[in-house]
Amino acid sequence: MNKVNVVSKFVNPFSQDVRRMSERFDNATINHNVNELEQLLVEAEKMLCNENAASQAQLYYSMGTVYIDFSKFKGISTEKSTEKQLYYFRKSISLIEFNEYFDEKYKPYVLGFKRVLYTNYANTLDHCGRKIAAIEQYKKALNIDDNFGMALGNLGRVYQHYGMLEYDNGHRDIFHYFAYHYLDNAIKSTDPNTYSEAKDCFEATIDCYAPEYIEKVLKPDLCFKQFSYENPDELNYRKWCLSNGLFLNTLNDLPIAESCFAADVIQLPNMIANIHSKPIFHGMFSQLKQEYIYARHLYYSTLSFISEPHYADKDTYIKAYTDYSLYSIRVEKLKTAFKTLYGLFDKIAYFLEHYFELGINERDINFRSIWRDSAGKGKKAYNYKNVLNPSENFALSSLYWISKDFSEKFEDSLNPELKRISDIRNSLEHKYTKVYDIINNKDIPEYGDGLALYVSEEELYEVVIFLLKILREAIINLSLCVNIAEIPKREASKDKLVLPMSLMDYEDDWKI
């Protein structure tokens, strides 16, 4: 009797029809039945409009996994397959993360689904080079079940690859330490959903390490230098950046938050240059870092509770309207953080264009155009001197797939949420935007002024933190991609006279 009561208190939000459809997808995959998989995709699309959000999430997940199989069975291009996976997994995540499904009654069903969804989404992100984004998803899966072997092992593999990209020797060893221990835990995992083939793969990955390196570097406990901060405001700020993974520091992607990680230490690697060259790339990178840091602190400064308006907001004679629009220095800081961050994408493109000498006319340089091979139309059309090849550089691949999210045609974007972010950006820069208090105003169409783009304060906070995370990933990968591109230059210069040129550090005391 007690057993029945325990089971009955939970509700499965996934419909029976969708569960049956999921089994059909699995069986068709096991049997390598491409024709049936194609038919099931058509059926699943038709089912979407008649199902609840959780069941739709399950359908989108199944559709995403089909494209993993299609790249093997059907010969579909890897890029096309990855695009479909990203789109469907993201649709699934956006639906299953509805507040409704955090209800306790759905817990065992929803968490079990999320665990697998986050892990497969992370696998796809890793496959296209977006290791930082993949790490975040693996962590989400392990927060649900820290014994889930597939997430443990794949996170270990990502940390190993990340460590191989890292050009700081000390940082590299720390990444390999965590890679080793995650892989070891995955092999020892008792989770029944950890496939034996996967465990074999994880063992082979560990075997890449020399026994002596394991004993001397990977097995001993880590010991970190601790820092203290006299200023409590600085301490709180650094703790916030650490906990949200927002420092320009590769170590901030590890599963621990040490005080020695609380600094923006990422910089460009040693570079081979002509003796007459000037350090333009270091200057460009420093400016990118500074603008990111400025936007991050602007956002942080809006989170603090204030008991009274800013003195600059007093006696400004702003007119109120029935739409509960918000006017304050705090809201303008939030808008400025958004605009500063969004503008960094094209500045990264400007860096890549000059570093790889693509030969794009300055007016045509943006975060989309750098991945093409030509620009202009008619008589003004021209081909680029060089073309970027993301497949030859993992870190460059990460930047490429970030750019594909921010597609020129947003109806084709791999990220369904970015059309809205683009609309907000265009309205903030060129049109008329109102930020409103979502608590006081539930019905903008009725109370709005008919011209403004209305953005809730809550939404604006969400999109700025999203941009902070994705720009951090982009800036770190910009540094890593330069390091990878410099490797053949260093090899070619081995037998030549190379004179070191050191750049001095910009002292903190100068930043007044």
Side-chain angles (χ1 to χ4, degrees):
M1 191 70 179
N2 290 335
K3 216 171 187 180
V4 174
N5 288 337
V6 171
V7 173
S8 64
K9 76 175 183 178
F10 295 116
V11 176
N12 190 335
F14 305 105
S15 73
Q16 286 189 351
D17 288 342
V18 165
R19 279 179 271 161
R20 282 193 290 266
M21 175 63 78
S22 180
E23 290 178 6
R24 293 173 64 192
F25 271 115
D26 290 342
N27 291 332
T29 297
I30 292 170
N31 295 323
H32 294 193
N33 192 331
V34 174
N35 290 335
E36 185 174 358
L37 286 171
E38 289 178 332
Q39 181 59 40
L40 289 173
L41 281 174
V42 175
E43 291 182 36
E45 286 278 6
K46 292 178 180 178
M47 289 178 66
L48 285 167
C49 59
N50 298 318
E51 298 290 344
N52 63 25
S55 298
Q56 289 178 26
Q58 174 69 71
L59 287 170
Y60 279 123
Y61 170 75
S62 295
M63 294 161 77
T65 57
V66 163
Y67 279 93
I68 299 174
D69 302 321
F70 273 0
S71 63
K72 305 172 189 172
F73 307 154
K74 196 180 174 185
I76 186 173
S77 75
T78 302
E79 183 160 330
K80 187 68 175 176
S81 169
T82 302
E83 289 174 357
K84 291 290 188 181
Q85 292 169 49
L86 290 172
Y87 178 81
Y88 287 128
F89 289 152
R90 286 166 175 169
K91 288 287 286 186
S92 181
I93 289 170
S94 68
L95 290 163
I96 202 61
E97 290 184 345
F98 278 175
N99 288 338
E100 174 187 354
Y101 298 115
F102 287 94
D103 192 302
E104 186 70 19
K105 66 184 179 183
Y106 301 127
K107 188 174 181 179
Y109 299 103
V110 169
L111 291 185
F113 174 67
K114 283 182 174 180
R115 181 186 73 161
V116 177
L117 172 60
Y118 294 146
T119 301
N120 278 281
Y121 178 41
N123 292 342
T124 302
L125 288 167
D126 175 37
H127 179 73
C128 61
R130 295 195 58 188
K131 300 190 180 300
I132 293 174
I135 288 168
E136 184 177 7
Q137 298 302 316
Y138 287 130
K139 286 180 180 178
K140 287 168 68 175
L142 292 171
N143 283 338
I144 295 171
D145 179 2
D146 60 8
N147 188 46
F148 186 32
M150 298 304 293
L152 285 168
N154 284 315
L155 179 54
R157 292 177 69 247
V158 168
Y159 278 142
Q160 185 187 74
H161 297 159
Y162 202 161
M164 292 165 67
L165 294 173
E166 175 64 76
Y167 49 86
D168 181 290
N169 291 336
H171 288 195
R172 186 184 302 131
D173 287 342
I174 297 172
F175 272 103
H176 288 309
Y177 171 90
F178 283 99
Y180 173 80
H181 286 279
Y182 272 105
L183 288 163
D184 189 51
N185 288 339
I187 294 166
K188 296 174 182 175
S189 173
T190 56
D191 175 58
N193 296 300
T194 306
Y195 310 126
S196 58
E197 298 91 339
K199 287 191 175 184
D200 291 341
C201 175
F202 301 150
E203 287 182 353
T205 306
I206 276 188
D207 288 342
C208 293
Y209 295 120
E212 184 180 2
Y213 184 69
I214 292 174
E215 292 300 321
K216 288 188 175 181
V217 179
L218 303 185
K219 281 190 174 181
D221 292 338
L222 291 174
C223 182
F224 296 106
K225 182 180 179 181
Q226 298 301 314
F227 291 85
S228 59
Y229 300 93
E230 295 180 1
N231 185 331
D233 291 335
E234 179 181 1
L235 176 62
N236 290 334
Y237 169 65
R238 292 187 181 275
K239 282 184 175 180
W240 176 81
C241 291
L242 269 178
S243 63
N244 286 280
L246 294 177
F247 276 114
L248 296 174
N249 185 337
T250 56
L251 298 181
N252 210 181
D253 291 309
L254 294 171
I256 52 175
E258 296 287 337
S259 61
C260 57
F261 298 177
D264 298 293
V265 298
I266 194 75
Q267 55 188 306
L268 291 182
N270 291 331
M271 300 169 66
I272 301 294
N274 185 286
I275 195 168
H276 300 296
S277 298
K278 296 181 179 179
I280 58 172
F281 298 113
H282 290 82
M284 293 167 74
F285 194 78
S286 294
Q287 187 60 39
L288 283 169
K289 281 185 64 173
Q290 187 61 58
E291 290 183 26
Y292 176 85
I293 293 165
Y294 168 67
R296 185 182 65 200
H297 189 268
L298 266 185
Y299 177 89
Y300 173 78
S301 70
T302 69
L303 301 175
S304 302
F305 174 77
I306 53 175
S307 57
E308 63 176 45
H310 192 282
Y311 60 80
D313 272 329
K314 296 178 179 179
D315 301 322
T316 56
Y317 301 99
I318 297 291
K319 300 299 181 183
Y321 184 52
T322 56
D323 55 10
Y324 295 96
S325 296
L326 301 175
Y327 298 96
S328 69
I329 294 291
R330 179 182 62 80
V331 172
E332 294 309 312
K333 283 183 177 181
L334 200 54
K335 291 179 183 177
T336 300
F338 179 102
K339 291 187 286 186
T340 300
L341 290 166
Y342 205 103
L344 289 179
F345 288 116
D346 287 344
K347 294 182 180 183
I348 289 172
Y350 192 76
F351 181 108
L352 291 171
E353 197 284 332
H354 286 277
Y355 177 75
F356 287 102
E357 299 180 332
L358 302 181
I360 308 176
N361 293 341
E362 189 169 308
R363 67 177 182 276
D364 296 325
I365 301 171
N366 57 58
F367 201 49
R368 296 182 300 272
S369 68
I370 55 170
W371 308 104
R372 302 174 188 149
D373 56 11
S374 61
K377 295 181 180 179
K379 293 181 179 179
K380 294 183 178 181
Y382 63 95
N383 294 323
Y384 298 168
K385 174 184 174 184
N386 295 315
V387 178
L388 293 177
N389 189 348
S391 64
E392 296 179 352
N393 185 320
F394 269 109
L396 191 61
S397 179
S398 175
L399 294 168
Y400 172 64
W401 282 96
I402 290 172
S403 77
K404 286 178 76 68
D405 278 353
F406 291 82
S407 173
E408 200 161 6
K409 296 180 180 178
F410 275 94
E411 63 271 18
D412 299 327
S413 174
L414 307 181
N415 193 330
E417 310 299 323
L418 289 184
K419 173 65 166 66
R420 175 65 174 171
I421 294 178
S422 176
D423 289 343
I424 293 172
R425 188 258 181 177
N426 289 333
S427 185
L428 283 175
E429 291 284 9
H430 309 297
K431 299 179 184 178
Y432 170 35
T433 309
K434 280 190 172 183
V435 178
Y436 67 93
D437 184 346
I438 197 170
I439 296 175
N440 293 321
N441 193 343
K442 300 285 186 181
D443 197 358
I444 286 299
E446 181 179 348
Y447 295 103
D449 66 15
L451 182 60
L453 175 71
Y454 281 84
V455 182
S456 74
E457 181 182 18
E458 180 182 41
E459 181 183 17
L460 192 54
Y461 271 105
E462 288 174 354
V463 296
V464 175
I465 198 73
F466 169 81
L467 288 174
L468 280 167
K469 286 180 177 294
I470 203 166
L471 261 305
R472 172 186 178 271
E473 179 185 356
I475 292 170
I476 288 176
N477 276 286
L478 180 63
S479 171
L480 296 178
C481 97
V482 170
N483 183 56
I484 294 169
E486 288 293 316
I487 292 172
K489 296 181 183 179
R490 295 179 198 131
E491 290 294 321
S493 301
K494 277 186 175 179
D495 298 327
K496 298 178 181 178
L497 177 62
V498 178
L499 301 175
M501 183 181 78
S502 298
L503 299 174
M504 63 181 177
D505 292 331
Y506 196 91
E507 300 293 339
D508 288 347
D509 292 341
W510 302 346
K511 302 170 186 175
I512 299 175

